[in-house]
Amino acid sequence: QVQLVESGGGLAQPGGSLRLSCAASGSIGSVGAMGWYRQAPGKQRELVAHISTSRHITYIDSVKGRFTISRDNAKKTVYLQMNSLKPEDTAVYYCNAKEVLASTFQVIDYWGQGTQVTVSS
């Protein structure tokens, strides 16, 4: 069984920082692209940032210059450093990781259970 274990969420003041971590464990062989999604109350889940195995990175415009995604392939872990936090960053953040099965070319998505990030005075 593959599990994505998230940590680092919590409460921050506007302008503060948080660092999210997500580690893959279990039977996953080789982790492909990884990313962070978030879902605020009453809104659809959106992709915040993702990083490929070659470390090609994409961010949504609203977090550019404030958030940094990185990965440690040896640890099968993806990070999201969040600086200059704003109240609109408040959401549940979900980690995502992909695995491609060589035998069938099937792409499998794995999801963390989510971690709450709250930005408030």
Side-chain angles (χ1 to χ4, degrees):
Q1 295 180 344
V2 175
Q3 290 185 315
L4 301 182
V5 181
E6 301 180 18
S7 63
L11 177 65
Q13 296 184 354
S17 298
L18 289 172
R19 187 173 191 248
L20 306 183
S21 298
C22 174
S25 64
S27 61
I28 190 170
S30 180
V31 180
M34 307 182 80
W36 290 95
Y37 294 71
R38 68 186 181 188
Q39 187 167 20
K43 297 183 178 180
Q44 294 184 333
R45 185 176 298 187
E46 64 178 352
L47 176 66
V48 178
H50 71 86
I51 180 169
S52 72
T53 55
S54 62
R55 292 181 170 84
H56 177 78
I57 294 171
T58 301
Y59 299 100
I60 57 171
D61 288 341
S62 61
V63 308
K64 288 181 178 178
R66 300 189 298 117
F67 291 10
T68 302
I69 189 171
S70 61
R71 64 187 292 162
D72 185 327
N73 290 333
K75 296 181 179 180
K76 298 181 179 180
T77 300
V78 63
Y79 307 92
L80 187 67
Q81 179 67 47
M82 303 184 294
N83 298 327
S84 302
L85 284 164
K86 302 176 180 180
E88 50 262 45
D89 295 319
T90 297
V92 178
Y93 284 70
Y94 297 91
C95 175
N96 170 264
K98 297 183 183 297
E99 179 184 29
V100 179
L101 303 181
S103 60
T104 62
F105 302 101
Q106 182 182 10
V107 178
I108 301 175
D109 278 306
Y110 301 101
W111 292 91
Q113 293 300 307
T115 183
Q116 177 70 48
V117 171
T118 301
V119 184
S120 176
S121 299

